[in-house]
Amino acid sequence: MAIVPHVSPARRRARIYPGDLSRMSAVRADLRADLSGFDEDLVETATLCASEMVANAIEHTRSGTDPDGRVLRALFTPEPGVLRLAVVDDGALDSSPRIPSRRSDDRATAERGRGLLMVEALSLRWGTYPVVPFPFCTDLGTTVWAEFALGGGER
């Protein structure tokens, strides 16, 4: 039995995209389709966060630098009343996703570097974990996830 019984499992399948920023409109459209029937605020918030998470994966990992790079986007409910959005990249170049611990005054007008702060502000919680949890496999990929309250379920 599904946690949200009237949601088709097909609508929850993971989707894989080429590591190309030109595919962002497809990422957003697919997510909206996969979340049709959910509260519109949830759909818009999840879409905004997914856009940031996928763009980060493309820009900061091998997903965007390798010719055959890709990004996986998945949705699932880890517990009743919670939707988890997960984005998996093809492996780090030389860093992992994080919110900078110190912000300088010039960051207030910066055009970049605030995406994960937005994800943190809009989600219940977020985090990262390696695709393969062994120290010698850290460059194989990272999952960035964010959770959202379903807030009364679907419409």
Side-chain angles (χ1 to χ4, degrees):
M1 180 171 121
I3 293 172
V4 183
H6 52 287
V7 175
S8 164
R11 286 183 30 206
R12 295 293 185 93
R13 74 180 186 274
R15 295 182 184 258
I16 299 173
Y17 300 93
D20 185 340
L21 288 173
S22 70
R23 297 293 308 221
M24 292 304 297
S25 61
V27 171
R28 289 188 291 271
D30 288 346
L31 184 58
R32 285 187 184 104
D34 290 348
L35 293 176
S36 68
F38 282 85
D39 178 75
E40 190 60 33
D41 287 340
L42 169 69
V43 173
E44 290 306 313
T45 300
T47 300
L48 182 60
C49 290
S51 294
E52 182 58 39
M53 294 160 65
V54 171
N56 277 352
I58 292 170
E59 187 169 339
H60 299 293
T61 73
R62 288 196 304 261
S63 293
T65 59
D66 287 356
D68 59 344
R70 64 215 182 279
V71 176
L72 179 137
R73 189 271 297 157
L75 294 170
F76 57 98
T77 48
E79 61 189 76
V82 175
L83 176 73
R84 181 177 277 197
L85 164 68
V87 173
V88 182
D89 64 50
D90 270 344
L93 296 172
D94 59 8
S95 66
S96 62
R98 64 180 175 82
I99 291 180
S101 58
R102 294 185 43 92
R103 310 300 276 179
S104 62
D105 291 336
D106 64 330
R107 298 297 285 176
T109 57
E111 293 184 21
R112 302 172 52 80
R114 289 181 267 180
L116 291 178
L117 286 170
M118 180 191 67
V119 171
E120 180 180 58
L122 294 174
S123 64
L124 292 174
R125 56 194 160 262
W126 78 282
T128 68
Y129 56 85
V131 172
V132 180
F134 296 111
F136 54 88
C137 298
T138 56
D139 62 341
L140 294 180
T142 298
T143 299
V144 178
W145 58 270
E147 292 181 344
F148 307 93
L150 291 176
E154 297 181 83
R155 287 190 273 193

